[in-house]
Amino acid sequence: MTPKFKPVSDSRLEISELMLPSHSNFSGKIHGGFILSLLDQIAFACASKYSGSYCVTASVDTVDFLKPIEIGELVTMKASVNFVGNTSIVVGIRVEAENIQNGTVKHCNSSYFTMVAKDDEGNSVKVPGLILESEKDLKRFFKSVKRNQLRKERHDYANELDYTVNELIHELEGYNVKIDI
């Protein structure tokens, strides 16, 4: 039986991987798509570990690429559950890259993945509630609530937009666009 509540500490995961030339893009930096794949893997592992269920990616709220990652650096991803709903889990992930020759560590990426717990038939299942154990856990949970509210507001606002063509043309004045309708 799944517990009713679990602490954030039960969700924490960390993975490290050495960045190889095969992971690079045409400019010699680590390809963002490769990092996204690793992010999805750790989000899956973190959410599944926490929920005790198979979890699927529902959305990726934020992926901020802050600094490039170089070939030969050791990338470490740190994940934990930041928020839970009824069947959904928001996993926060921090990506750091370490130059293994001189020990310099840089923060390269922060991401938030929303995962949904599923049963063997593919139906969404309830996840345990979250026990917040520190001020950091409390702040992360609160920030997730705010991000969820902002996402809903953006969605509602976008659905309300219903401009005529003439209004659209007027609204787009000053943008780097040529309208050829």
Side-chain angles (χ1 to χ4, degrees):
M1 182 172 166
T2 304
K4 288 190 177 203
F5 289 88
K6 289 176 76 174
V8 170
S9 58
D10 281 2
S11 75
R12 289 196 180 99
L13 278 180
E14 189 172 303
I15 61 170
S16 296
E17 186 165 338
L18 185 63
M19 295 296 104
L20 304 174
S22 61
H23 303 142
S24 67
N25 60 25
F26 293 111
S27 68
K29 308 296 182 194
I30 300 306
H31 194 285
F34 179 72
I35 298 300
L36 284 170
S37 175
L38 293 177
L39 289 166
D40 193 50
Q41 290 174 40
I42 195 169
F44 163 80
C46 181
S48 296
K49 175 184 176 189
Y50 179 81
S51 68
S53 301
Y54 180 81
C55 290
V56 297
T57 305
S59 70
V60 181
D61 188 28
T62 304
V63 179
D64 293 326
F65 292 100
L66 306 172
K67 294 182 180 160
I69 299 171
E70 307 292 335
I71 294 169
E73 289 184 324
L74 183 65
V75 167
T76 300
M77 297 188 175
K78 299 173 184 179
S80 65
V81 171
N82 288 4
F83 174 88
V84 296
N86 289 318
T87 62
S88 65
I89 299 170
V90 174
V91 176
I93 308 164
R94 179 182 174 94
V95 179
E96 297 176 340
E98 178 182 0
N99 179 314
I100 57 176
Q101 293 172 325
N102 64 25
T104 304
V105 176
K106 60 187 174 184
H107 178 203
C108 296
N109 186 299
S110 291
S111 302
Y112 302 96
F113 280 61
T114 300
M115 311 297 288
V116 176
K118 300 287 186 177
D119 64 17
D120 292 338
E121 287 77 44
N123 301 308
S124 297
V125 295
K126 189 164 178 53
V127 298
L130 193 59
I131 299 171
L132 305 175
E133 303 170 290
S134 68
E135 286 182 21
K136 186 181 277 188
D137 293 345
L138 181 67
K139 288 178 181 180
R140 287 177 175 167
F141 190 90
F142 181 76
K143 287 179 180 180
S144 289
V145 168
K146 289 299 179 188
R147 272 193 308 276
N148 287 341
Q149 289 172 345
L150 289 171
R151 185 182 325 106
K152 183 180 179 340
E153 288 172 16
R154 281 191 313 268
H155 180 266
D156 291 347
Y157 175 74
N159 286 338
E160 290 175 9
L161 297 179
D162 189 22
Y163 291 103
T164 67
V165 172
N166 287 336
E167 290 171 324
L168 287 173
I169 290 171
H170 175 70
E171 287 289 324
L172 297 177
E173 289 175 7
Y175 285 89
N176 187 17
V177 64
K178 178 182 177 185
I179 301 170
D180 194 8
I181 300 176

